């Protein structure tokens, strides 16, 4: 590939935000890896974008592609304000952090949340179904995972409305200044919350447990690491699931044959959730990686220090891996999809996201047999990180 050839994704305008799949399909047809300029990026910024499935899977697990920008001399103000976490570290630091967090965030803990997730879903639907129509994002998709993760971590209820505003600016910023301000405010808030947990003694919530978690060798999370982990768990723990629920309901309502199949056999709910993760997953592209040394990927030479963006959305519509990839099929074999990543950075919260997605969609369909779209949905979120809707009007 000619390294001088750069695809300016901004030239596609709003069409790229509405439907990036067509653009990714054209790129895949030309090759699995491309040099691109993201929309709204600085005119001088370029990154490699991986759009092929096999290349994306390999890149996600390649230790030469670092998550820690310091390895190539890159530092970000966000890391200084928030702290290091699983998405900004590599082994051995990543191994240590994940081990400490995994001690508190266990499968058993997630499974114990099942009755509470169902109760929150039921309460939200009681309120929503008392009306003739609603915005599904505001009424169910957003408050469910937000309430669950805030209760899990021990965020006071009075703080959750403000937290929602801040977190949205972090993952889908309207402008760089607003994003920076949101990160500053969130960093200050988490510092105070962690100190409250430290002074309060055992609280029984995940953040309180993380404050006190100790490995066999006596290792513990530092205050900065605690803040970084709280940031990651709060943001990633609800923003992604919002999109999973919203995207899943939209997919079903725009594919009546699949909706009918699911209503006829609710044992297909797991397949519906997994196909949503593949077909319109909540994370469009993995966070940036940095070439710590030269490497070749998909026939392209990537030099040390260059940035690499791995296209999860693009890879999961690769027809070589998933036949008829643009077809939404809840009976499809989705094994190997990359919605939660692959390798050592595989999403720690995947079991919780699946639990919330299954519970929300299954309960909604059970209680709203006449569920339908109520006009066009809202715009898709800006940027290339998240893939989700701002609003989804529905009626029943």
């Amino acid at each position: 590939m000619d390294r001088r050839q750069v695809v300016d994704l901004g030239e596609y305008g709003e069409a790229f935000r509405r439907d990036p799949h067509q653009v990714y399909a054209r790129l895949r047809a030309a090759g699995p890896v491309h040099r691109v300029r993201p929309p709204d990026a600085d005119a001088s910024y370029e990154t490699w974008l991986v759009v092929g499935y096999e290349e994306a899977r390999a890149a996600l697990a390649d230790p030469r592609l670092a998550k820690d920008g310091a390895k190539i001399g890159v530092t970000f103000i966000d890391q200084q304000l928030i702290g290091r976490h699983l998405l900004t570290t590599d082994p051995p630091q990543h191994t240590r952090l994940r081990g400490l967090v995994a001690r508190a965030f266990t499968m058993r803990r997630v499974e114990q949340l099942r009755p509470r997730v169902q109760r929150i879903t039921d309460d939200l639907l009681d309120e929503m179904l008392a009306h003739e129509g609603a915005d599904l994002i505001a009424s169910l998709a957003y408050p469910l995972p937000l309430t669950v993760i805030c209760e899990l971590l021990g965020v006071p209820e009075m703080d959750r409305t403000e937290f929602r505003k801040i977190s949205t600016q972090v993952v889908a910023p309207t402008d760089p200044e607003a994003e920076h301000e949101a990160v500053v405010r969130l960093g200050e808030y988490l510092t105070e919350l962690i100190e409250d947990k430290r002074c309060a003694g055992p609280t029984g919530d995940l953040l309180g447990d993380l404050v006190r978690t100790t490995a066999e060798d006596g290792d513990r999370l530092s205050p900065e690491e605690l803040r970084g982990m709280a940031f990651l768990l709060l943001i990633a723990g609800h923003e992604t699931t919002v999109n999973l629920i919203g995207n899943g309901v939209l997919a079903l309502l725009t594919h009546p044959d699949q909706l009918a199949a699911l209503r006829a056999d609710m044992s297909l709910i797991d397949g519906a959730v997994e196909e949503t993760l593949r077909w319109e997953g909540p994370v469009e592209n993995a966070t940036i990686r940095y070439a710590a040394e030269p490497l070749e990927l998909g026939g392209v030479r990537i030099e040390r220090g260059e940035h690499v963006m791995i296209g999860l959305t693009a890879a999961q519509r690769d027809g070589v891996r998933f036949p008829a990839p643009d077809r939404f099929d809840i009976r499809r074999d989705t094994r190997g999809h990359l919605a939660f990543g692959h390798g050592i950075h595989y999403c720690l919260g995947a079991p919780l996201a699946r639990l919330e997605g299954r519970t929300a969609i299954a309960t909604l369909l059970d209680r709203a047999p006449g569920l339908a779209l109520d006009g066009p949905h809202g715009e898709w979120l800006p940027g290339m990180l998240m893939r989700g809707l701002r609003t989804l009007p529905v009626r029943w």
Side-chain angles (χ1 to χ4, degrees):
M1 175 184 291
D2 185 350
R3 292 178 56 86
R4 295 168 297 181
Q5 182 180 349
V6 179
V7 179
D8 187 350
L9 297 175
E11 292 182 352
Y12 292 98
E14 282 300 303
F16 180 67
R17 189 198 297 198
R18 287 194 304 271
D19 184 11
H21 303 291
Q22 296 185 39
V23 177
Y24 292 145
R26 285 196 286 272
L27 290 176
R28 273 196 312 275
V33 182
H34 296 267
R35 191 79 170 162
V36 303
R37 182 176 299 114
D40 304 322
D42 185 274
S44 63
Y45 181 77
E46 298 173 3
T47 180
W48 291 103
L49 174 64
V50 185
V51 294
Y53 175 86
E54 291 298 338
E55 293 75 15
R57 184 178 170 88
L60 287 167
D62 195 324
R64 296 171 297 179
L65 293 175
K67 301 288 284 191
D68 184 359
K71 289 187 174 179
I72 62 166
V74 174
T75 57
F76 293 100
I77 188 66
D78 290 7
Q79 290 184 33
Q80 298 170 16
L81 294 170
I82 295 294
R84 295 163 68 79
H85 51 74
L86 296 177
L87 293 184
T88 60
T89 53
D90 302 300
Q93 295 93 338
H94 176 274
T95 309
R96 170 182 163 268
L97 289 177
R98 187 161 182 134
L100 285 167
V101 175
R103 283 174 165 270
F105 193 28
T106 60
M107 279 294 295
R108 180 170 176 267
R109 191 168 208 147
V110 171
E111 187 57 33
Q112 288 174 337
L113 287 170
R114 186 179 298 274
R116 182 60 184 147
V117 171
Q118 185 65 62
R119 176 61 185 272
I120 295 168
T121 301
D122 287 332
D123 289 347
L124 290 169
L125 287 175
D126 284 346
E127 172 69 22
M128 187 180 101
L129 296 175
H131 308 278
E132 294 183 357
D135 170 17
L136 187 82
I137 305 300
S139 299
L140 179 65
Y142 213 116
L144 170 60
L146 178 62
T147 303
V148 170
I149 199 64
C150 284
E151 287 188 359
L152 178 64
L153 285 168
V155 175
E157 188 170 355
M158 68 180 68
D159 297 342
R160 294 174 194 173
T161 300
E162 182 65 15
F163 170 70
R164 173 181 176 176
K165 297 176 185 175
I166 296 173
S167 68
T168 301
Q169 281 295 343
V170 171
V171 300
T174 52
D175 62 73
E177 185 176 336
E179 179 183 16
H180 177 72
E181 181 183 346
V183 171
V184 170
R185 290 167 63 199
L186 190 53
E188 293 171 346
Y189 172 76
L190 292 175
T191 298
E192 294 176 8
L193 181 62
I194 289 166
E195 187 57 31
D196 288 345
K197 301 289 182 187
R198 196 184 306 278
C199 295
T203 55
D205 55 66
L206 178 57
L207 188 53
D209 287 356
L210 286 174
V211 169
R212 291 165 180 79
T213 293
T214 306
E216 282 90 350
D217 60 1
D219 187 23
R220 300 178 72 169
L221 294 168
S222 70
E224 293 75 20
E225 289 168 342
L226 276 167
R227 190 172 59 230
M229 291 308 305
F231 167 82
L232 178 62
L233 290 168
L234 274 169
I235 298 295
H238 85 276
E239 289 284 355
T240 50
T241 311
V242 175
N243 298 341
L244 168 58
I245 297 169
N247 294 357
V249 172
L250 177 64
L252 288 166
L253 294 182
T254 52
H255 294 81
D257 60 323
Q258 299 300 302
L259 177 59
L262 180 57
R263 285 194 178 281
D265 181 4
M266 286 304 295
S267 69
L268 294 172
I269 184 63
D270 286 349
V273 169
E274 297 305 313
E275 177 66 341
T276 296
L277 288 164
R278 181 206 70 86
W279 190 75
E280 196 76 274
V283 181
E284 187 170 339
N285 294 280
T287 52
I288 291 290
R289 283 165 164 77
Y290 313 93
E293 60 182 85
L295 68 145
E296 184 171 302
L297 183 63
V300 171
R301 180 174 172 81
I302 298 172
E303 301 295 346
R304 182 183 185 279
E306 292 186 325
H307 295 192
V308 178
M309 185 184 298
I310 303 172
L312 307 181
T313 288
Q316 301 193 127
R317 296 285 187 107
D318 188 338
V320 175
R321 177 61 182 82
F322 298 105
D326 295 326
R327 187 179 72 227
F328 180 72
D329 180 2
I330 64 174
R331 292 186 175 90
R332 179 193 298 274
D333 181 357
T334 57
R335 285 177 295 182
H337 75 65
L338 304 176
F340 293 119
H342 173 64
I344 64 168
H345 290 285
Y346 184 84
C347 178
L348 191 68
L352 179 57
R354 286 183 163 114
L355 169 61
E356 293 173 327
R358 285 196 303 262
T359 303
I361 295 173
T363 309
L364 174 66
L365 294 182
D366 177 60
R367 296 189 56 185
L371 188 71
L373 294 175
D374 190 16
H377 60 72
E379 65 179 9
W380 293 90
L381 295 173
M384 292 184 66
L385 177 61
M386 293 296 191
R387 181 68 180 158
L389 298 165
R390 288 203 184 277
T391 60
L392 181 59
V394 292
R395 54 183 169 78
W396 43 86

